[in-house]
Amino acid sequence: MTRLLKSSFLWQFTGGFLLGAVGLFTLVPATDPVTGAPIEQAR
């Protein structure tokens, strides 16, 4: 178990997963939960 925690593959996978999750939540456009229509953001 300690060998797995020290492996670079595990940390690279975890880092990639976290970057993907952040990108998913920041880059997906906001939608109205009722209609599913995109919400236009005011600038």
Side-chain angles (χ1 to χ4, degrees):
M1 184 69 178
T2 58
R3 178 185 252 176
L4 177 67
L5 290 176
K6 290 181 181 181
S7 71
S8 64
F9 173 75
L10 176 70
W11 293 111
Q12 288 177 356
F13 178 80
T14 304
F17 184 82
L18 289 174
L19 281 174
V22 169
L24 179 69
F25 287 111
T26 58
L27 297 176
V28 172
T31 57
D32 184 10
V34 176
T35 63
I39 298 173
E40 187 173 333
Q41 296 177 344
R43 292 182 185 218

